[in-house]
Amino acid sequence: MTDEAAAEPPAEASAESAGPVALGLVRTPTGHAGVDAHLARLADADHLAADGHLEVYEDVHRGLREALTALDAPPVPGPYENRS
């Protein structure tokens, strides 16, 4: 065994120790600021280990559900629309 071979770590070990790597997915804006903000939050998962993804995904899911629910809500009348 030469000194060069002993100095280089195995390829498997260096890949594991590199940590999380972003997938590089492109997020296309929807044009709805609230939805886009939640989708941008998905980028936070890029820098976390897999066990940290769940919290981010649940947070984004909750926010997107709230945005969809708000679309179903009846419009709130303005201050001068309640007159008879």
Side-chain angles (χ1 to χ4, degrees), residues 16-41:
E16 289 179 18
S17 63
V21 177
L23 295 176
L25 299 176
V26 176
R27 292 170 191 88
T28 305
T30 65
H32 187 281
V35 171
D36 290 339
H38 291 298
L39 294 177
R41 169 102 164 86

Side-chain angles (χ1 to χ4, degrees), residues 9 20 24 28 30 38 41 44 46-47 57-58 75 77-78 83:
T28 305
T30 65
H38 291 298
R41 169 102 164 86
D44 294 345
D46 287 345
H47 309 289
Y57 294 157
E58 286 179 344
R83 293 190 215 179

Side-chain angles (χ1 to χ4, degrees), residues 11-80:
E12 295 171 11
S14 63
E16 289 179 18
S17 63
V21 177
L23 295 176
L25 299 176
V26 176
R27 292 170 191 88
T28 305
T30 65
H32 187 281
V35 171
D36 290 339
H38 291 298
L39 294 177
R41 169 102 164 86
L42 289 172
D44 294 345
D46 287 345
H47 309 289
L48 299 172
D51 61 347
H53 290 188
L54 183 60
E55 181 180 344
V56 173
Y57 294 157
E58 286 179 344
D59 182 46
V60 170
H61 183 254
R62 184 175 27 260
L64 292 174
R65 283 191 71 134
E66 289 172 2
L68 285 172
T69 301
L71 294 174
D72 290 335
V76 177
Y80 301 108

